[in-house]
Amino acid sequence: MSISFRLSPFSITSQQQQQRQQSFFISQSPQTLLRRRPSFSPLKKITNPIRAVVNGNNSDGSASLAQEKKPRWENVLSTAASLYPVYVSVGGVVACGKPSAFAWFVKAAPASYSAALGLIMLAMGITLELKDFLALFWQKPLSILFGCVAQYTIMPSFAAIISKILGLPPSLSVGLILLGCCPGGTASNVVTLIAQGDVPLSIVMTVCTTLGAVVLTPLLTKILAGAYVPVDAVKLSLSTLQVVVAPILVGSYIQSAFPGAVKLVMPFAPLFAVLASSLLACSVFSENVVRLKSLVVSVSLTSDISLTQRVQALLTSELGVVALSVLLLHFFGFLVGYISAASCGFKERQRRAISVEVGMQNSSLGVVLATSHFTSPMVALPAAMSAVIMNIMGSSLGFFWRYVDPSDSKNSPKVDK
């Protein structure tokens, strides 16, 4: 059986064989698929920064190859790492019920936030070999370039438009624009795997947009948010370099210099990264819970208005407006990312990868930059709420696409990009 990431229609002799190949693809990790294709041998060491595996059985009831080859405890860690949306959602509930649970981490901010993000990026770096990354980059340059351009045009533009239409206060406008100008998040690789998208394309787009964030995130934030508050692009750029790019490069060096040690910690790196990301997002959210709760209580205690008016009051409060703006931002990211990729002739798996990559941001970076460079705590609120809303939306989309055939066999042949 031949497994290909080129996204061309599978060569089959019957509908049953096609279904088995598709089911087999879903159950494999990106690393297993790369190893099984001889022509991809130079890329076999490229791994997903969050190496979550969607475990399951093939259509014929047999266990997946990844499950057979990997020890059981590694499968458990991989499954635990794939539950990132669950951790963030549970942490958000805890932050609402008992904000003091995160006080130990919040008190050390912004140093604790920067350290957490740096460790997340370090975990990403130790899974990456630069030569393999470059090899895959040269194999699909047009797809990768398109995804990166879409990332830094669609999301920043819609962040600025949404903040204008909803009339957000300056601090929330800056926070939403900063979120829109952030690179793609590593959670997008997990969602792309679930959605039967082009996983190698998703991985490389994440790395490229993350490296480009040193220049593009501060520059775009200054252009789009400079009208609301002063934005120091140079300081933003230096912070991005310190907490994102430097740890990735250090991690990549450690991976090549100490392969034995990296092999031991590799199974734990994805789970550590998602737990650190969850802690970071929920800690920032807990900082704003007291203020948000007061808004909800004030509306609830108003006895001279109807239930409909109370709901409207909540939706128009800062809590409702922030949630709505973040939801709209990610919705248009997913939608416009997919439509733009489709209009440019990309195949279905590539469309899904680009859509997910554009729609899912590195909210942790948004939190760190907001808390480090802006005095108002409300600037970090859109990024903190995004961690919950974005992952619920992305995971839902991924599971929907998992049951939709991504084959282009019914369409006219398209050229790989």
Side-chain angles (χ1 to χ4, degrees):
M1 183 183 297
S2 175
I3 302 297
S4 173
F5 275 106
R6 295 181 63 251
L7 304 184
S8 56
F10 291 116
S11 176
I12 59 174
T13 58
S14 69
Q15 182 66 25
Q16 184 179 10
Q17 287 178 345
Q18 183 183 26
Q19 291 173 349
R20 287 184 178 182
Q21 284 182 331
Q22 291 165 350
S23 177
F24 182 79
F25 175 86
I26 297 172
S27 65
Q28 305 306 304
S29 67
Q31 297 81 9
T32 303
L33 292 173
L34 291 175
R35 286 196 300 266
R36 288 181 61 84
R37 180 162 175 83
S39 61
F40 273 70
S41 57
L43 309 178
K44 63 183 179 180
K45 294 182 180 179
I46 293 184
T47 54
N48 188 337
I50 307 289
R51 294 192 309 166
V53 178
V54 181
N55 294 311
N57 292 336
N58 297 327
S59 58
D60 59 0
S62 62
S64 68
L65 183 64
Q67 287 177 307
E68 292 175 351
K69 287 194 170 183
K70 291 174 62 177
R72 184 175 179 180
W73 64 272
E74 284 195 27
N75 287 323
V76 172
L77 290 175
S78 295
T79 302
S82 69
L83 300 177
Y84 178 43
V86 176
Y87 303 143
V88 176
S89 301
V90 172
V93 172
V94 173
C96 288
K98 191 177 180 181
S100 59
F102 298 94
W104 62 275
F105 197 70
V106 173
K107 288 179 181 179
S112 58
Y113 295 168
S114 299
L117 180 59
L119 290 174
I120 294 169
M121 293 298 103
L122 182 65
M124 178 179 176
I126 65 172
T127 67
L128 177 69
E129 277 199 22
L130 186 58
K131 60 180 181 180
D132 295 336
F133 161 72
L134 292 175
L136 186 53
F137 179 87
W138 287 115
Q139 194 158 41
K140 293 185 177 180
L142 293 180
S143 303
I144 297 167
L145 180 61
F146 179 88
C148 294
V149 172
Q151 175 71 61
Y152 283 114
T153 54
I154 294 173
M155 294 299 276
S157 300
F158 275 100
I161 293 171
I162 291 170
S163 63
K164 278 284 187 181
I165 293 176
L166 296 183
L168 298 182
S171 57
L172 292 179
S173 295
V174 173
L176 187 67
I177 290 172
L178 179 60
L179 173 64
C181 295
C182 285
T186 52
S188 64
N189 309 141
V190 179
V191 173
T192 300
L193 179 62
I194 297 172
Q196 303 187 69
D198 191 332
V199 179
L201 174 61
S202 175
I203 295 172
V204 180
M205 283 192 297
T206 299
V207 176
C208 289
T209 56
T210 300
L211 296 176
V214 177
V215 175
L216 294 175
T217 296
L219 179 62
L220 292 172
T221 302
K222 183 174 180 61
I223 293 173
L224 298 175
Y228 298 102
V229 296
V231 177
D232 193 329
V234 175
K235 288 185 178 180
L236 282 176
S237 181
L238 291 175
S239 293
T240 308
L241 181 66
Q242 291 172 355
V243 300
V244 175
V245 179
I248 289 178
L249 296 179
V250 171
S252 182
Y253 170 76
I254 292 174
Q255 201 262 10
S256 60
F258 307 99
V262 169
K263 185 178 181 180
L264 293 176
V265 303
M266 186 76 75
F268 302 92
L271 180 58
F272 171 80
V274 299
L275 291 177
S277 297
S278 303
L279 174 62
L280 184 58
C282 295
S283 296
V284 176
F285 185 66
S286 70
E287 283 189 274
N288 295 277
V289 161
V290 176
R291 182 175 181 180
L292 296 175
K293 273 186 175 181
S294 65
L295 294 172
V296 175
V297 172
S298 64
V299 173
S300 301
L301 294 178
T302 305
S303 57
D304 57 344
I305 61 175
S306 65
L307 178 61
T308 302
Q309 290 174 321
R310 291 183 183 183
V311 173
Q312 291 176 343
L314 282 174
L315 291 176
T316 55
S317 66
E318 285 184 330
L319 174 62
V321 170
V322 172
L324 178 61
S325 63
V326 171
L327 189 150
L328 289 175
L329 176 62
H330 292 297
F331 172 79
F332 284 113
F334 290 124
L335 178 63
V336 179
Y338 183 88
I339 292 175
S340 62
S343 64
C344 291
F346 289 95
K347 295 184 179 180
E348 180 62 22
R349 295 190 194 276
Q350 293 171 316
R351 296 175 197 172
R352 295 183 184 185
I354 292 172
S355 171
V356 172
E357 187 67 26
V358 172
M360 301 190 73
Q361 302 294 90
N362 189 339
S363 54
S364 298
L365 176 61
V367 165
V368 170
L369 295 180
T371 54
S372 300
H373 298 281
F374 299 95
T375 56
S376 173
M378 297 299 288
V379 176
L381 186 57
M385 293 195 71
S386 167
V388 179
I389 295 174
M390 171 190 71
N391 283 287
I392 293 175
M393 293 177 67
S395 299
S396 300
L397 179 62
F399 279 108
F400 169 77
W401 266 335
R402 181 179 182 180
Y403 298 101
V404 178
D405 182 11
S407 174
D408 291 294
S409 58
K410 295 181 180 180
N411 303 328
S412 59
K414 298 177 182 179
V415 179
D416 272 342
K417 296 178 176 67

